[in-house]
Amino acid sequence: GAVVSQHPSRVICKSGTSVKIECRSLDFQATTMFWYRQFPKKSLMLMATSNEGSKATYEQGVEKDKFLINHASLTLSTLTVTSAHPEDSSFYICSAQLNEKLFFGSGTQLSVL
Amino acid sequence: DAKTTQPNSMESNEEEPVHLPCNHSTISGTDYIHWYRQLPSQGPEYVIHGLTSNVNNRMASLAIAEDRKSSTLILHRATLRDAAVYYCILRDVYTGGFKTIFGAGTRLFVKA
């Protein structure tokens, strides 16, 4: 089946620093990728839709300048959490679409101290 | 995307079948019914999807009501590894690249 690789799986950073999370579709091309955020025991919350070669579409309430998304190629989308603060600590998950199905990365646990 | 409604949690005994229900009364004619599951500390994984007819694969079966306003995911023999949160979502056939919204899902507990 299709594989989506997400790195890093876990990151701890100091408040004020920026963190980049990569999402790669390993064996297929993904025109569209999605970024989600998930708090403990809660469902996935869609943050933005990333389209190759164009600007991402952010959901209401998600700060564009805070969560920078780049989808420069058909196999790579990145999410950069800029000037991270403790309230940004969360589990971030990416997904890519192939035909009708969604394939997900394994997630990134971000902890901001 | 149309919304779905699922029970918050369900419990099953190991080796027994599990029927996970999902209501989607506002489904449109072009919506696929998808099921994904999420194991602890992992990203969701695809389970099964269908449009109108019942579907079977190696993981599960999907039974779709004739009016398509509800569906049931069937795990034929639950194992401890099936303990996860199961999400029922709808995705449009034509705008499949459109955003996908997840509901609360059903947390399945499997007892040995």
Side-chain angles (χ1 to χ4, degrees), chain B residues 46-49 53-63 74 76:
Chain B
Y46 168 82
V47 177
I48 200 166
H49 79 286
S53 302
N54 294 342
V55 185
N56 298 296
N57 67 20
R58 62 175 182 82
M59 289 181 71
S61 295
L62 176 60
I74 303 166
H76 297 286

Side-chain angles (χ1 to χ4, degrees), chain B residues 29-45:
Chain B
T30 55
D31 281 331
Y32 273 107
I33 301 161
H34 283 241
W35 284 82
Y36 292 82
R37 73 178 186 181
Q38 185 178 24
L39 301 172
S41 301
Q42 295 186 29
E45 64 173 340

Side-chain angles (χ1 to χ4, degrees), chain B residues 27-102:
Chain B
I27 191 171
S28 75
T30 55
D31 281 331
Y32 273 107
I33 301 161
H34 283 241
W35 284 82
Y36 292 82
R37 73 178 186 181
Q38 185 178 24
L39 301 172
S41 301
Q42 295 186 29
E45 64 173 340
Y46 168 82
V47 177
I48 200 166
H49 79 286
L51 187 61
T52 56
S53 302
N54 294 342
V55 185
N56 298 296
N57 67 20
R58 62 175 182 82
M59 289 181 71
S61 295
L62 176 60
I64 302 173
E66 197 168 329
D67 63 4
R68 300 207 330 122
K69 293 186 176 182
S70 65
S71 61
T72 302
L73 178 70
I74 303 166
L75 305 180
H76 297 286
R77 291 180 65 190
T79 69
L80 296 178
R81 289 180 297 176
D82 291 323
V85 178
Y86 288 78
Y87 296 100
C88 166
I89 60 175
L90 303 179
R91 304 197 77 227
D92 189 272
V93 170
Y94 296 111
T95 61
F98 194 64
K99 62 184 181 183
T100 295
I101 305 298
F102 280 74

